[in-house]
Amino acid sequence: MKQSIKISIIAVVAAASISITSCSKKDTPAPATAVEDTVSTYYGTVELAYKKSTNADPACFIDLSNGHVYKVSEAAAHAGEIDMLWGTRTATPDQKYFISTSDTYILNAAGASDDLWKESNLFTGWSKRNVTMMDNFQAVNFDDVKTRSQFNTYTSGRSGILTYLPFDALADQQALSYYYDITHNGVKYIGVLKITQADLADGYAKFTIKVIKA
């Protein structure tokens, strides 16, 4: 009798074990929650590198991967991070431009006033100069761009074609979007810079950039 009870208990335990094992094999983990592919958004204020007598150390350089702005005195130490500056064409100083740090033409002119910020002053001691290719275009609903898909729709397959673009803080220029593509340490980024407020007389422009890794 005791032997029979013992065998029955073993049989029940074995059956329960098989049942638990069977259930665990059929269980599947819940599907991972999809992560929305967001666009990074940054804000900043860039200053115009025009006359030294007006601004002796303008914060004219921008890192277009994160919106960080650097003064001329800070720039050489961050040469590998900086992509663009806001400056003037020395041949015709009344014309202001967004300029790739790789450009060696727009900031140079024979006989230019020593009071103008030019290449020889702006890039002293730089170890490298990043290439930034740019274009400008018209589009709406910039603030609504939050995903890669929306970014691609907004830029509509655009590519960078120039190393400098005019920007004199005029109303029609502020209405434009400024597309760019850059590379930092082998990583390519594409982005759009949008001016939210600018004053040429005071030499500043507030901007927003939206960036994705290409």
Side-chain angles (χ1 to χ4, degrees):
M1 183 66 177
K2 288 182 179 180
Q3 182 67 20
S4 175
I5 292 172
K6 185 176 181 180
I7 291 172
S8 297
I9 292 171
I10 292 172
V12 169
V13 171
S17 176
I18 291 171
S19 176
I20 292 170
T21 302
S22 177
C23 289
S24 65
K25 285 182 179 179
K26 289 181 181 178
D27 289 343
T28 54
T33 303
V35 177
E36 187 177 45
D37 188 7
T38 56
V39 175
S40 297
T41 303
Y42 304 100
Y43 308 89
T45 300
V46 63
E47 296 177 346
L48 175 64
Y50 177 31
K51 292 183 177 180
K52 299 176 193 174
S53 56
T54 302
N55 192 337
D57 193 15
C60 60
F61 292 104
I62 310 175
D63 178 343
L64 290 174
S65 71
N66 59 23
H68 197 99
V69 175
Y70 295 95
K71 295 180 179 180
V72 174
S73 61
E74 301 168 326
H78 299 276
E81 303 155 46
I82 295 170
D83 306 289
M84 189 179 83
L85 68 104
W86 187 25
T88 187
R89 184 177 184 178
T90 51
T92 49
D94 55 317
Q95 297 177 338
K96 312 303 186 297
Y97 293 84
F98 290 138
I99 309 169
S100 167
T101 55
S102 66
D103 192 277
T104 57
Y105 165 72
I106 201 76
L107 295 164
N108 282 323
S113 168
D114 286 338
D115 193 28
L116 294 175
W117 281 103
K118 44 186 178 282
E119 183 178 345
S120 57
N121 311 119
L122 292 166
F123 296 100
T124 301
W126 281 47
S127 57
K128 67 177 294 184
R129 289 167 66 166
N130 288 335
V131 177
T132 303
M133 301 305 296
M134 298 177 279
D135 194 10
N136 53 27
F137 64 102
Q138 290 184 323
V140 296
N141 300 325
F142 175 77
D143 292 338
D144 295 335
V145 175
K146 294 180 173 61
T147 68
R148 181 177 292 264
S149 176
Q150 291 169 338
F151 180 93
N152 290 337
T153 299
Y154 186 84
T155 56
S156 188
R158 195 165 301 275
S159 60
I161 57 175
L162 298 169
T163 56
Y164 57 88
L165 293 169
F167 184 73
D168 297 285
L170 302 176
D172 59 340
Q173 293 174 328
Q174 292 185 55
L176 295 173
S177 294
Y178 294 83
Y179 174 95
Y180 60 85
D181 60 69
I182 58 175
T183 300
H184 284 197
N185 298 317
V187 179
K188 184 174 180 178
Y189 299 83
I190 56 178
V192 175
L193 178 147
K194 187 77 172 175
I195 300 300
T196 56
Q197 183 182 350
D199 189 319
L200 191 63
D202 289 334
Y204 78 89
K206 294 185 178 181
F207 64 85
T208 302
I209 61 173
K210 292 181 181 285
V211 191
I212 63 173
K213 290 183 179 179

